[in-house]
Amino acid sequence: LPTHAGSSLEPQENSMEPAAALEEEVPLTAASGPLGCQLFGYVGIEAVLDQMKIKTMKTGFEFNIMVVGQSGLGKSTMVNTLFKSKVSPKASQPGQVERIPKTVQIQSVTHVIGEKGVTMKLTVTDTPGFGDQINNANCWDPIIEYINEQYEKYLREEILITRKRKIPDTRVHACVYFIPPTGHWLRPLDLEFMRRLSKIVNVVPVIAKADTLTLEERAEFKQRIQEDLKNHTISVYPQEDFDQDPDDRVLNNRIREKIPFAVVGADQEHQVNGKRVLGRKTKWGIIEVENPEHCEFPLLQDLLIRSHLQDLKDITHSVHYESYRVRRLNESNRP
């Protein structure tokens, strides 16, 4: 009988030739064991991916997103469209009037979303009232304070002598900033906010309600925004400094050419050519949200969920949180 990997190998006449042939095929996996035994056989390294997948499906993962912008730009609708669920903090009861606070009051709502056996604990943080006042001086302070508070919570759990096996992660992984569709240059408020926030969190700028602009106005407005960001040295996500290899750089360069994404949000379905699609109905036709020819919402959805979700979490942990951690530990060690 042929011998199997993991069993003790005895010198047998019938098994010497198959064993020698197998050793020649995979010499790197052969290893010397105790008492002169040899273990050989193919080791499937790709099995590690299956182990990680099974573990992730059992434990699930966390993703925290913050939306910032003036009232009336469709932040709640955009988040609901993004995750195909009612996950925004917006009042969901019909007929209920949503009151807009006069100050920036941070509101967070957590939902557990499941799909194909994978669970995601999604936390959506809204900042109603941002930029709505006549005097918007230091209106970003509550947002910065909130983001740093989440870093502080994680740091306190991390430095405990007896800490949890899995630390609850409430850190903001992505901040989607909604730019009003003015068609002109960025406002000083927009520039100052992104300049401050891009240093502590991943900022993804989008042009809200892009259907109010023509295609020519949209392209010109996007070019002006890109020039503003470059002239003021504002690094939005994905940052060039964090590209790890040439393949990532090629992909991220394509994304950077499209930023800010011109998006349209809608949470109602309409019938188009026999299919149910998400869109906004006008007397000229239906604006399909998930149609790349109508808006760039699919690019935003692809960036936040399909291609860069884990990268957003990694950069938050290894860059932004690490900078906060080093600063806090240096402060505590000063005499």
Side-chain angles (χ1 to χ4, degrees):
L1 297 176
T3 58
H4 298 279
S7 61
S8 60
L9 304 180
E10 299 289 343
Q12 297 179 2
E13 295 181 1
N14 295 334
S15 61
M16 287 297 292
E17 293 181 1
L22 190 55
E23 286 181 4
E24 291 180 0
E25 291 178 4
V26 284
L28 295 179
T29 60
S32 298
L35 302 178
C37 296
Q38 276 191 338
L39 301 178
F40 58 91
Y42 175 72
V43 179
I45 303 298
E46 69 274 8
V48 178
L49 299 177
D50 297 332
Q51 298 174 29
M52 296 172 63
K53 179 180 178 180
I54 294 173
K55 186 175 181 180
T56 302
M57 291 180 67
K58 288 181 178 180
T59 60
F61 59 98
E62 299 160 321
F63 185 62
N64 308 316
I65 183 173
M66 172 182 280
V67 290
V68 182
Q70 289 183 347
S71 302
L73 292 181
K75 301 187 298 296
S76 301
T77 304
M78 179 60 62
V79 173
N80 292 337
T81 310
L82 193 63
F83 296 99
K84 300 292 192 301
S85 302
K86 298 290 184 180
V87 296
S88 69
K90 185 178 180 180
S92 57
Q93 297 181 4
Q96 182 177 354
V97 178
E98 182 186 5
R99 296 187 60 188
I100 302 173
K102 294 183 179 181
T103 58
V104 180
Q105 299 176 1
I106 308 299
Q107 299 178 357
S108 295
V109 177
T110 301
H111 298 266
V112 177
I113 300 177
E115 183 181 359
K116 295 183 180 180
V118 181
T119 59
M120 179 176 67
K121 185 179 179 181
L122 172 68
T123 300
V124 178
T125 304
D126 196 1
T127 55
F130 174 81
D132 289 346
Q133 307 303 310
I134 297 177
N135 183 7
N136 291 306
N138 301 325
C139 61
W140 45 77
D141 285 347
I143 301 174
I144 296 177
E145 182 180 356
Y146 175 84
I147 294 174
N148 287 332
E149 281 178 0
Q150 310 317 308
Y151 290 150
E152 184 68 23
K153 288 181 182 179
Y154 195 91
L155 178 61
R156 290 177 181 175
E157 291 287 343
E158 193 178 45
I159 63 178
L160 290 176
I161 297 176
T162 304
R163 59 185 180 182
K164 300 177 183 178
R165 185 174 180 181
K166 183 179 180 182
I167 302 175
D169 190 3
T170 60
R171 298 170 296 181
V172 179
H173 300 127
C175 175
V176 181
Y177 184 72
F178 286 72
I179 301 172
T182 60
H184 303 291
W185 301 91
L186 284 176
R187 302 171 302 170
L189 175 65
D190 302 326
L191 292 171
E192 188 63 21
F193 175 86
M194 287 189 281
R195 186 185 68 82
R196 291 174 180 265
L197 268 292
S198 61
K199 298 177 181 178
I200 62 174
V201 72
N202 299 314
V203 177
V204 181
V206 298
I207 301 174
K209 294 190 174 181
D211 53 327
T212 60
L213 302 173
T214 65
L215 295 179
E216 293 77 11
E217 291 173 342
R218 184 188 303 178
E220 186 177 355
F221 187 35
K222 182 179 295 191
Q223 184 177 1
R224 290 177 177 177
I225 293 175
Q226 292 175 351
E227 293 176 2
D228 274 343
L229 295 176
K230 183 177 180 181
N231 294 335
H232 292 82
T233 62
I234 298 173
S235 180
V236 297
Y237 185 86
Q239 301 91 333
E240 270 187 76
D241 298 338
F242 304 149
D243 293 341
Q244 297 182 352
D245 53 57
D247 293 337
D248 289 344
R249 184 173 295 277
V250 171
L251 174 61
N252 291 338
N253 282 337
R254 294 176 183 174
I255 297 174
R256 282 187 280 264
E257 292 176 358
K258 298 292 184 179
I259 283 182
F261 300 125
V263 299
V264 178
D267 51 9
Q268 294 183 355
E269 291 186 343
H270 300 277
Q271 194 82 12
V272 178
N273 297 329
K275 296 181 180 179
R276 303 291 295 180
V277 298
L278 284 172
R280 296 186 47 148
K281 186 175 181 180
T282 66
K283 63 180 181 180
W284 300 281
I286 295 177
I287 303 171
E288 300 177 29
V289 171
E290 297 177 319
N291 189 342
E293 296 181 358
H294 292 191
C295 71
E296 295 176 340
F297 173 81
L299 299 179
L300 175 66
Q301 190 177 40
D302 192 74
L303 174 71
L304 292 180
I305 299 177
R306 191 188 70 84
S307 61
H308 285 69
L309 188 148
Q310 187 59 45
D311 187 61
L312 285 164
K313 298 182 64 174
D314 292 340
I315 291 181
T316 299
H317 179 77
S318 60
V319 179
H320 299 304
Y321 168 71
E322 192 66 21
S323 299
Y324 179 85
R325 174 181 170 275
V326 170
R327 185 173 70 253
R328 287 287 290 114
L329 293 180
N330 285 335
E331 292 174 357
S332 61
N333 291 332
R334 289 176 184 172

